[in-house]
Amino acid sequence: MENGRIYGFMLSEQELIDGCRKGNGSFQKALYDRYCRKMTTVCLRYSKTTAEAEDILQEGFVKVFQGLKDFRQESKLETWITRIMVNTALNLQRKKLYLFPMVDVEELDLPEDETSVSGIHFTQLLEMIQSLPQGCQIVFNLFAIEGYNHKEIAELLGISEGTSKSQYARARSLLQQKLLKESSYYAKYGEAKV
């Protein structure tokens, strides 16, 4: 602490938790500052716009501060916060999924070879994920990034396991097409598209 200011990176996880549980605004700000950037990335993966991601982030941190009193510390704080952000995003997206239900994709024309992501900047990859249809985007994030299996995804989203698998396959196919297009441009012009 310097001049009454608390620096989150200097505090242990336990100190952050204890300070936040006491309702100390400086500790809450320190916790927010420590995890904000990582959680923004999580929220962006589940949203179509930055504004939507910011809404998820704000609502998620409100839940974090309200729920810290019940945090049993059976996992790392970052893992627990990430779970809250994902669940907050899913709750928002579930409402939209009822407007645009997911359907099984029977026949997909998947490329035989895997597409490399070398030469693709993280923000380009994030934009590609955000451009996926809503159902594909959510299933892709849950399966490929968060590590859920299709049975768990089906239960989370209230869909069949087959729908989860087909949405993931469709997301992979769409991303591979985008990556091939991007890498072709890169090979031809030597720089990523802007």
Side-chain angles (χ1 to χ4, degrees):
M1 188 178 329
E2 183 179 295
N3 298 331
R5 186 169 182 190
I6 295 173
Y7 294 98
F9 62 88
M10 296 174 67
L11 298 171
S12 72
E13 189 173 284
Q14 190 60 53
E15 289 171 321
L16 272 176
I17 292 167
D18 292 342
C20 289
R21 283 179 173 163
K22 292 176 184 171
N24 185 314
S26 296
F27 282 87
Q28 290 173 335
K29 180 170 179 359
L31 183 137
Y32 177 84
D33 289 344
R34 181 183 286 184
Y35 296 108
C36 177
R37 290 186 72 189
K38 286 182 181 178
M39 296 308 126
T40 298
T41 302
V42 170
C43 296
L44 281 167
R45 287 196 329 256
Y46 287 92
S47 62
K48 294 290 185 192
T49 65
T50 302
E52 187 177 75
E54 289 168 352
D55 289 344
I56 295 167
L57 184 74
Q58 181 178 357
E59 186 177 333
F61 269 108
V62 168
K63 291 177 181 178
V64 165
F65 293 126
Q66 290 172 343
L68 262 173
K69 65 185 179 313
D70 299 322
F71 177 48
R72 296 187 305 260
Q73 296 178 258
E74 294 171 353
S75 65
K76 287 179 58 179
L77 182 60
E78 181 178 338
T79 304
W80 182 75
I81 293 172
T82 301
R83 173 80 65 175
I84 289 174
M85 293 299 165
V86 169
N87 286 335
T88 302
L90 288 177
N91 287 337
L92 176 72
Q93 300 309 339
R94 258 189 220 106
K95 295 172 190 170
K96 292 179 184 179
L97 289 176
Y98 291 115
L99 298 174
F100 306 101
M102 289 187 273
V103 294
D104 283 329
V105 180
E106 294 298 322
E107 306 216 2
L108 291 172
D109 196 18
L110 295 173
E112 292 293 317
D113 54 337
E114 292 292 320
T115 306
S116 169
V117 293
S118 59
I120 305 293
H121 190 273
F122 171 76
T123 55
Q124 291 171 293
L125 190 57
L126 182 59
E127 288 171 3
M128 288 178 192
I129 292 170
Q130 288 178 319
S131 73
L132 291 171
Q134 197 75 45
C136 292
Q137 179 186 10
I138 293 169
V139 171
F140 179 81
N141 279 309
L142 289 171
F143 185 83
I145 299 172
E146 305 299 338
Y148 287 90
N149 64 42
H150 290 294
K151 183 178 181 184
E152 293 168 326
I153 294 169
E155 290 171 7
L156 273 171
L157 300 178
I159 59 176
S160 73
E161 200 172 328
T163 298
S164 177
K165 289 177 181 178
S166 67
Q167 289 292 314
Y168 176 71
R170 182 169 179 229
R172 273 193 59 204
S173 175
L174 291 170
L175 286 172
Q176 285 176 337
Q177 290 169 18
K178 291 174 188 291
L179 287 169
L180 284 171
K181 185 177 178 184
E182 190 69 32
S183 62
S184 296
Y185 182 92
Y186 184 80
K188 185 174 182 181
Y189 299 106
E191 60 186 42
K193 286 190 221 177
V194 185

